[in-house]
Amino acid sequence: MKRFSQAVRVWYAEHRRSRRLTVVLAAFVVFLGVVVTAQLTPGRSPVTAPSPGESANGARNASDFTLVRRNPNDSMAVGDVDAPVVLVQWTDMRCPYCAVFTRETLPTLLQEYVRTGKVRIEVHDVAYFGEQSTDGAVAARAAGNQGKFFAYISAVHKDVPAGVHPDLPRERLIAYARKAGVPDIERFTADLTDADLRAAAQDSHATAEQLGVTSVPFFVVGDSALAGAQPIEVFRKVLDDAIAKAR
């Protein structure tokens, strides 16, 4: 809890001028409790950040304004912007358990919840496994600039062997863009060195660290958090409960 107390103090300093400070601080403390509970849940992903204060994320309803974006132009989101429930996801392009979720669970969630208008999925990227994780995050954002964010993640994660952090050199990132159907490869290649995209990816990772999350994949929906590549039945239960509460 010492780390979480430090995170609260940092967060308080950064937001002390907000007129909604009291409400936001309370929601943030509740969120930390959700994170702790999820990370102590048996069966969570053993993928953890390599140093203290690493990653994953979530949000309670009260703190949606900081973690749920609901931006209709969000390239890192899929689903109706007005869907009753938002599933917030934190992922690392080199995380093998993130790849398991992408391959085995995401297609079902898209079919049963996103395409039916019940759930929107919003992704936050993190980089726990070295500079190539950041490079992968930038590449996914570059693909997102051309409407291929989720297709790009799927292309990369399709090739990830069990328990392996894949190498993502520049030439492989470009090859995955072709597999994902990114239409303008020249533009994509130029975007790999875009300073704004890299800064955005780094900011996303820094926010995850400040929240004190320590594993990926990590998910939050409503007042529930999930750590690891959980079975589809677990996601169904959490999402169905959230949808029922939203009615």
Side-chain angles (χ1 to χ4, degrees):
M1 289 302 296
K2 181 178 179 181
R3 184 195 311 164
F4 297 126
S5 297
Q6 292 172 340
V8 171
R9 288 198 295 271
V10 171
W11 186 92
Y12 183 93
E14 291 178 350
H15 294 80
R16 62 187 181 277
R17 295 179 182 176
S18 171
R19 285 178 293 181
R20 293 188 293 178
L21 177 59
T22 302
V23 174
V24 175
L25 181 57
F28 184 75
V29 172
V30 171
F31 164 65
L32 290 180
V34 172
V35 171
V36 173
T37 301
Q39 291 178 346
L40 294 178
T41 301
R44 75 178 179 86
S45 169
V47 176
T48 57
S51 60
E54 271 120 7
S55 72
N57 269 312
R60 294 285 300 238
N61 285 336
S63 57
D64 277 357
F65 61 89
T66 57
L67 295 173
V68 174
R69 300 183 293 256
R70 288 195 184 273
N71 180 349
N73 300 315
D74 192 343
S75 64
M76 297 170 63
V78 61
D80 189 342
V81 71
D82 295 319
V85 170
V86 176
L87 175 65
V88 182
Q89 174 189 358
W90 279 258
T91 192
D92 186 310
M93 295 297 288
R94 300 186 67 216
C95 165
Y97 291 89
C98 299
V100 170
F101 167 79
T102 300
R103 292 194 304 264
E104 299 182 5
T105 306
L106 180 60
T108 301
L109 295 183
L110 292 175
Q111 178 179 350
E112 295 183 3
Y113 292 94
V114 175
R115 291 168 189 158
T116 56
K118 299 175 183 177
V119 173
R120 174 178 173 86
I121 300 175
E122 297 184 352
V123 177
H124 295 254
D125 45 19
V126 293
Y128 296 156
F129 305 110
E131 188 64 23
Q132 286 191 353
S133 286
T134 303
D135 295 340
V138 172
R141 286 172 178 264
N145 284 344
Q146 300 187 51
K148 294 293 183 177
F149 179 81
F150 286 90
Y152 190 84
I153 290 180
S154 295
V156 173
H157 284 171
K158 181 179 180 180
D159 284 349
V160 177
V164 173
H165 305 297
D167 290 329
L168 295 177
R170 180 182 176 85
E171 60 271 15
R172 187 167 295 176
L173 294 175
I174 296 172
Y176 281 129
R178 293 191 173 93
K179 287 185 178 181
V182 175
D184 189 339
I185 297 299
E186 184 176 346
R187 176 188 172 190
F188 172 86
T189 302
D191 282 347
L192 292 180
T193 57
D194 187 289
D196 290 339
L197 290 184
R198 185 163 295 271
Q202 291 170 338
D203 286 347
S204 179
H205 177 81
T207 298
E209 286 190 320
Q210 288 176 349
L211 290 174
V213 186
T214 58
S215 66
V216 282
F218 196 88
F219 310 85
V220 169
V221 53
D223 59 0
S224 299
L226 295 173
Q230 300 288 341
I232 184 61
E233 292 78 15
V234 174
F235 280 93
R236 284 184 177 130
K237 176 64 167 63
V238 171
L239 290 174
D240 287 346
D241 287 349
I243 291 168
K245 290 177 182 178
R247 289 173 179 167

